[in-house]
Amino acid sequence: MSLGSAPAAPPRHVSPVRNAFHRRRPRSPLAPLITRPRAATPFKKAVAAAGVHADGSAAASSSPPAAVISTRNHLSNLERLLQKKQAPPPPHLVEEEPEPRRHSPSSSIHQTRGRLLNVLNLSSAAFLNSSDKKTEEMSPRSLTRLHRLLSDSTRPSPRGTIGPRWRQYHGAANWDGLLEPLDVHLRRELVRYGELVQATYHAFHSNLIAAPPDRPRPVVLPDWSYRVTRNLFATASVELPSWVQTVAPWMMAAQRTSWIGYVAVCDNEREIQRMGRRDIVIALRGTSTCLEWAENLRTGLVPVDDDGEDVTDPQGDVPKVECGFRSLYKTAGPDMPSLSSSVVAEVRKLTEKYAGEEISITVVGHSLGAALAVLIADELAARAPPHVPTAVFSFGSPRVGNQAFAARVERRGVKVLRVVNARDLVTHVPMVLPSRTGGYAHVGRELLVDCRMSPYLRPDADPACCHDLEAYLHLVDGFMATNSPFRSDAKRGLARLLTQQSSNLKKLYVSKARAIQVQSTPGFPRRHCGHTLPSTLSIENLEVQ
């Protein structure tokens, strides 16, 4: 070793494990970088026996290059990955079954298909036939949606601007092209008007002791854009027979005059701009007193009293209406004007106050109120200014008069849209004579809904449920078209149905409401001939039918 030269460093020892760590890099099961001997799989044996590579080229007699080995390893890893058992779907995508069911070959096929769709994060409703899954087994897909449906925190559909087409939605063209399928804006307007009718029931049945039936009532409107301008009263002219004093003495104390609705006007500038006009609403409730029931049973046809104007139609027939309806509309109380004169006076005052603006008159009602709404609209069309359109939106309306009266209503320009439940018996009465021989006939267009299309109501719902106003609004909110399934994104909750019609809801939803301990909020109390039924029900006390 020469002077000044550095001694040679001994060779550095590298551990085999550390050396391998530096040489290797992390690899993916689908893209290996380092090849190593592996056990032959059936797929690899088949490839070797065929004498071809995975890309289709002939196998060489020499040893395969590293790229070929890497390709084979990639294919074998892919084969092992596909053979692995699929992980179960997340719990929030699995729907609960209401009760254990017996397995059948068809149910196994549906379960396998449903698991695949859940893994792909797709809804099975788009791939499974509606007949494959019974309606009784259908439930909301998540606990959040179920809790919202069963609570009273309703999320109404958003209101769109209808100003440019408000006359079409008000019936100028008889709602042509808006009913089949049901227009989204018209659906929202129908539900909104139905809620204004619900306010009449709530106002009448609330605190009857503090406010007798013949006294004005504070009305809490669900739509704050409207302001109540007048309370309306109807007076019965029927005389109860003397034997009622012995059978039901409490009926003799019933007062002849009862609060039946209100007149309201929209005074919110933002809502006026959305609707395109200032709307005057007359809302009327259905039958709620014993004397009103007695008037309903007077089914004879009597001429309409309109001071000799337009007494007969072009065919010479006299317009006639049911005796009981006309009595409630035209009879005045001892110190109360008749319903007819009250409505005409208030509408005349409002039209004069807002003269020069776009104004519409909308009469809405349910059951008896729907029949009185047609009588009101018929008279207002003859007395209101000719440029003010009048329309009727009714729910569960009975027949009001004969064919001559229906023709006169249409001739006066009144537009009537009747929402009818196919299983509602009230819409088929009175039944005296066929319309072709001078009997009863319906007025206007019909929007037919069916409670059997609802996935929440029992298909054998009783007549009271089929005529219930909340059931009507529930069906309208879910209606898309005739013979179409219930709207999957319907936003109206089930709280009021759960409170008032729990026996007609499917037991699946009642039991789930009890399971998640949803407390129903007070709904509109029900009253039958003076007896008030409880309106507040807890889920724990609901009886599953």
Side-chain angles (χ1 to χ4, degrees):
M1 178 177 67
S2 60
L3 186 63
S5 62
R12 184 179 179 182
H13 174 73
V14 180
S15 173
V17 176
R18 185 177 181 185
N19 194 21
F21 176 80
H22 281 282
R23 289 199 308 269
R24 293 184 180 180
R25 290 182 296 174
R27 59 188 179 87
S28 169
L30 297 180
L33 299 178
I34 303 299
T35 60
R36 57 182 177 182
R38 296 181 183 274
T41 62
F43 182 83
K44 293 171 64 177
K45 291 179 180 180
V47 173
V52 295
H53 297 307
D55 57 357
S57 58
S61 58
S62 59
S63 59
V68 176
I69 297 177
S70 177
T71 302
R72 290 180 179 178
N73 290 335
H74 172 75
L75 294 176
S76 63
N77 291 336
L78 179 61
E79 180 188 8
R80 276 200 313 276
L81 183 63
L82 294 177
Q83 288 177 355
K84 287 184 179 180
K85 186 177 180 180
Q86 291 183 353
H92 67 279
L93 292 180
V94 181
E95 296 183 357
E96 293 184 3
E97 293 293 337
E99 57 185 7
R101 296 182 300 171
R102 297 180 180 178
H103 293 282
S104 61
S106 60
S107 63
S108 300
I109 295 175
H110 294 327
Q111 291 177 1
T112 304
R113 193 186 308 175
R115 284 195 295 268
L116 177 59
L117 294 174
N118 283 332
V119 170
L120 297 177
N121 197 23
L122 296 175
S123 172
S124 60
F127 298 90
L128 299 179
N129 191 355
S130 59
S131 61
D132 293 342
K133 193 171 186 181
K134 294 182 180 179
T135 310
E136 181 71 23
E137 301 167 358
M138 300 177 69
S139 61
R141 294 193 58 186
S142 65
L143 186 64
T144 302
R145 172 171 170 78
L146 179 61
H147 194 285
R148 180 182 63 79
L149 286 175
L150 295 176
S151 66
D152 200 30
S153 57
T154 56
R155 287 168 40 187
S157 302
R159 297 183 185 179
T161 301
I162 61 174
R165 301 182 58 196
W166 75 266
R167 292 186 180 273
Q168 282 71 25
Y169 289 110
H170 205 248
N174 289 320
W175 297 280
D176 290 338
L178 300 177
L179 302 179
E180 289 287 343
L182 183 60
D183 184 87
V184 293
H185 299 299
L186 181 58
R187 177 192 295 113
R188 184 67 190 92
E189 294 299 299
L190 286 172
V191 172
R192 182 172 67 90
Y193 284 128
E195 291 174 345
L196 292 178
V197 179
Q198 278 187 330
T200 63
Y201 285 103
H202 193 198
F204 181 76
H205 293 302
S206 297
N207 199 5
L208 286 174
I209 299 177
D214 60 342
R215 295 292 94 191
R217 297 176 175 276
V219 183
V220 179
L221 298 182
D223 191 340
W224 292 358
S225 302
Y226 287 83
R227 172 178 53 86
V228 176
T229 61
R230 182 159 185 167
N231 288 269
L232 300 177
F233 299 86
T235 303
S237 62
V238 65
E239 294 288 343
L240 295 178
S242 58
W243 55 264
V244 177
Q245 178 67 35
T246 304
V247 178
W250 51 269
M251 290 184 62
M252 301 300 294
Q255 300 185 15
R256 292 176 53 200
T257 301
S258 298
W259 187 93
I260 198 169
Y262 60 86
V263 180
V265 61
C266 180
D267 59 358
N268 183 280
E269 294 300 329
R270 190 171 184 178
E271 183 68 6
I272 293 174
Q273 184 178 3
R274 184 194 71 85
M275 294 190 300
R277 86 279 189 191
R278 186 183 298 272
D279 191 27
I280 301 173
V281 170
I282 300 102
L284 305 165
R285 61 166 175 82
T287 306
S288 298
T289 68
C290 295
L291 293 181
E292 290 171 357
W293 276 109
E295 292 283 14
N296 290 342
L297 299 178
R298 302 172 64 188
T299 58
L301 286 169
V302 296
V304 179
D305 183 15
D306 55 359
D307 299 330
E309 294 183 11
D310 196 18
V311 174
T312 60
D313 66 354
Q315 285 73 31
D317 297 328
V318 178
K320 297 181 180 180
V321 296
E322 193 208 54
C323 177
F325 298 156
R326 180 188 175 279
S327 173
L328 289 170
Y329 182 58
K330 290 289 187 179
T331 304
D335 56 350
M336 191 72 62
S338 67
L339 176 61
S340 170
S341 59
S342 298
V343 172
V344 171
E346 184 65 21
V347 172
R348 179 185 295 113
K349 183 182 71 173
L350 292 175
T351 53
E352 292 175 355
K353 179 179 179 180
Y354 300 108
E357 298 184 19
E358 286 279 5
I359 302 175
S360 65
I361 300 174
T362 307
V363 194
V364 295
H366 170 246
S367 191
L368 169 64
L372 296 176
V374 176
L375 296 176
I376 291 174
D378 174 66
E379 185 170 7
L380 289 179
R383 299 179 182 273
H387 66 278
V388 179
T390 304
V392 176
F393 295 95
S394 66
F395 301 87
S397 174
R399 296 184 177 99
V400 182
N402 60 359
Q403 186 63 48
F405 173 74
R408 190 182 79 170
V409 171
E410 296 179 358
R411 190 167 59 251
R412 288 183 170 180
V414 177
K415 305 300 180 181
V416 180
L417 179 59
R418 296 178 295 106
V419 182
V420 176
N421 186 350
R423 304 197 65 194
D424 187 1
L425 300 178
V426 176
T427 61
H428 301 283
V429 296
M431 298 177 60
V432 179
L433 294 172
S435 59
R436 64 177 179 272
T437 60
Y440 284 94
H442 273 302
V443 184
R445 294 289 300 272
E446 178 182 274
L447 175 62
L448 186 64
V449 296
D450 195 336
C451 59
R452 291 170 292 188
M453 300 300 295
S454 170
Y456 310 103
L457 294 175
R458 293 174 46 158
D460 58 342
D462 58 38
C465 177
C466 295
H467 187 62
D468 184 72
L469 179 56
E470 178 60 31
Y472 264 97
L473 300 185
H474 166 72
L475 295 176
V476 170
D477 188 55
F479 181 81
M480 293 191 297
T482 304
N483 298 325
S484 295
F486 202 79
R487 192 164 65 105
S488 60
D489 57 344
K491 296 180 174 58
R492 190 168 188 83
L494 304 176
R496 289 177 180 170
L497 279 179
L498 193 65
T499 301
Q500 302 173 12
Q501 302 292 339
S502 61
S503 61
N504 292 290
L505 253 67
K506 293 180 179 178
K507 60 182 181 181
L508 169 65
Y509 301 101
V510 179
S511 60
K512 283 186 177 293
R514 184 187 295 111
I516 63 178
Q517 297 181 351
V518 175
Q519 187 76 16
S520 64
T521 57
F524 295 135
R526 292 171 293 170
R527 183 177 176 87
H528 179 69
C529 289
H531 296 285
T532 303
L533 303 179
S535 61
T536 305
L537 296 175
S538 62
I539 300 302
E540 290 75 8
N541 297 328
L542 289 176
E543 177 184 0
V544 179
Q545 297 294 325

